[in-house]
């Protein structure tokens, strides 16, 4: 039912991964049921089929970039919308069975992305250990707990879940790395605007139209809509055919963003609305504050201009 808080959540599994850790920061998910899925597609299909109310899936990593499979799944199939974003620091730990020391470690289980992000630490502290690729951070922790490997590079929640001793924490080469997750639901009224929101879109341009992408960008620029991210993905139709994923500062309820969406609808082959939702706030640092509307482009300016035009058309302008 529209407006009913979600109680059944699914996330990219297995248990003990950053996705579960991110989901547990959502109060409703902490109170509801949380079910791991084997893939992003399985998680989103569970929402589409009504087996879950919402799914938490990764969107992008500050080191590895966009998660292509999530973008592809959002662009295809029955529409889904983002209702919330969660930005989680990526803090890897080295976990092992209690009693293990660094000198004992000969094999380390790690997801390929995890071992890549911890390459310098592993090289400096465990130069002779063999790093074994596994399917997830949760699988790494599970394998170390079962004795299949001497240690694991994993998320803190995975070490705690499998009762591993943390031999070293914050071992990532980039201490400020983060992963951005999206909470996705079936279409419904978006959350109310907060004054610090994002709107996500999938935009298909006419491949045979000169300057088509420039036209898209101009619809946003002339209205002072700040484009915070643009990503292209092949549509699979043919070489050179792309869908562009846009994150725009603002909410669909904002006048200037609403007009920009109408403009995109006119100039694009297709536009898929992927949601308006509160922007994640991690601090009160100046760089984490919303960019104010340029002079003449606030909602108040649009309202005043519309009222002025209405008076002209009605013949009542003083």
């Amino acid at each position: 039912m529209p407006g009913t808080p979600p109680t059944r959540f699914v996330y990219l599994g297995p248990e003990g991964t950053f996705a579960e850790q991110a989901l547990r920061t959502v109060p409703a998910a902490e109170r509801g049921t949380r079910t791991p899925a084997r893939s992003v597609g399985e998680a989103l299909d569970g929402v589409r089929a009504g087996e879950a109310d919402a799914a938490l899936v990764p969107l992008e990593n500050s080191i590895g970039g966009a998660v292509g499979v999530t973008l592809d799944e959002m662009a295809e199939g029955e529409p889904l919308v983002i209702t919330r974003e969660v930005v989680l620091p990526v803090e890897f730990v080295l976990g092992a069975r209690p009693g293990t020391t660094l000198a004992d470690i000969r094999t380390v289980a790690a997801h390929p992305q995890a071992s890549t992000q911890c390459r310098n630490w592993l090289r400096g502290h465990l130069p002779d250990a063999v790093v074994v690729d596994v399917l997830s951070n949760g699988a790494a922790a599970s394998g170390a707990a079962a004795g299949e490997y001497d240690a694991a590079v994993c998320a803190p929640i995975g070490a705690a879940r499998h009762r591993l001793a943390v031999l070293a924490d914050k071992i990532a080469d980039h201490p400020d790395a983060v992963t951005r997750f999206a909470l996705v639901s079936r279409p419904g009224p978006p959350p109310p605007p907060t004054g610090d929101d994002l709107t996500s879109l999938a935009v298909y341009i006419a491949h045979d139209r000169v300057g088509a992408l420039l036209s898209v960008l101009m619809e946003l620029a002339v209205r002072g809509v700040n484009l915070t991210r643009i990503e292209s993905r092949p549509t699979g139709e043919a070489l050179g055919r792309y869908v562009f994923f846009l994150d725009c500062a603002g909410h669909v309820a904002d006048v200037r963003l609403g007009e920009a969406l109408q403009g995109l609808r006119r100039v694009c082959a297709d536009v898929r609305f992927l949601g308006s939702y509160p922007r994640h706030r991690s601090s009160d640092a100046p760089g984490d504050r919303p960019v104010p509307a340029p002079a003449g482009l606030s909602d108040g300016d649009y309202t005043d201009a519309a009222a002025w035009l209405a008076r002209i058309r009605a013949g009542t302008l003083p």
Side-chain angles (χ1 to χ4, degrees):
M1 294 175 57
T4 302
T7 58
R8 301 170 299 157
F9 295 84
V10 63
Y11 63 94
L12 177 62
E15 296 178 342
T17 60
F18 287 111
E20 182 187 8
Q21 190 172 330
L23 181 59
R24 298 194 71 156
T25 68
V26 178
E30 187 67 8
R31 296 188 298 269
T33 60
R34 301 176 299 275
T35 304
R38 291 171 294 183
S39 67
V40 169
E42 181 179 287
L44 297 183
D45 284 344
V47 176
R48 289 183 172 111
E51 298 165 357
D53 301 318
L56 190 96
V57 292
L59 270 182
E60 61 178 321
N61 178 268
S62 60
I63 305 299
V67 180
V69 65
T70 299
L71 298 181
D72 294 342
E73 289 285 347
M74 291 289 291
E76 300 295 330
E78 294 180 25
L80 295 170
V81 293
I82 301 169
T83 60
R84 182 182 182 132
E85 69 169 2
V86 176
V87 178
L88 187 76
V90 179
E91 297 180 350
F92 290 106
V93 303
L94 184 75
R97 284 167 293 167
T100 304
T101 67
L102 287 179
D104 299 326
I105 296 174
R106 298 291 178 268
T107 57
V108 179
H111 186 276
Q113 288 186 359
S115 59
T116 297
Q117 294 186 45
C118 301
R119 181 189 294 116
N120 291 336
W121 191 95
L122 292 169
R123 183 185 299 144
H125 293 81
L126 296 170
D128 298 323
V130 175
V131 178
V132 182
D133 289 348
V134 294
L135 293 177
S136 69
N137 298 311
S142 175
E148 298 172 20
Y149 315 100
D150 298 326
V153 174
C154 59
I157 191 175
R161 174 71 51 80
H162 294 282
R163 296 185 173 85
L164 298 177
V166 176
L167 304 187
D169 63 357
K170 298 182 179 179
I171 66 174
D173 299 334
H174 299 275
D176 298 324
V178 297
T179 296
R180 178 185 177 215
F181 295 87
L183 189 67
V184 179
S185 301
R186 291 181 294 279
T194 66
D196 189 10
D197 304 288
L198 289 175
T199 293
S200 294
L201 309 167
V203 173
Y204 298 81
I205 64 175
H207 69 278
D208 56 351
R209 177 179 171 183
V210 176
L213 180 57
L214 178 60
S215 297
V216 169
L217 300 179
M218 287 300 297
E219 292 293 337
L220 302 174
V222 297
R223 295 175 176 87
V225 175
N226 186 31
L227 183 64
T228 64
R229 185 179 69 93
I230 181 169
E231 190 87 25
S232 64
R233 294 285 299 168
T235 62
E237 297 172 354
L239 284 174
R241 306 286 179 88
Y242 293 93
V243 53
F244 292 86
F245 293 89
L246 312 181
D247 283 345
C248 308
H251 193 281
V252 66
D254 298 341
V255 176
R256 60 179 172 144
L257 186 56
E259 286 201 0
L261 290 181
Q262 292 181 65
L264 292 177
R265 175 70 176 179
R266 291 194 302 268
V267 303
C268 295
D270 193 17
V271 178
R272 176 172 280 205
F273 175 72
L274 299 180
S276 286
Y277 48 90
R279 191 166 70 100
H280 178 89
R281 295 296 303 275
S282 58
S283 69
D284 291 325
D288 199 41
R289 295 172 185 164
V291 177
L297 293 174
S298 69
D299 270 13
D301 293 327
Y302 272 93
T303 300
D304 179 69
W308 174 77
L309 179 60
R311 291 196 299 271
I312 291 177
R313 288 171 170 171
T316 59
L317 188 69

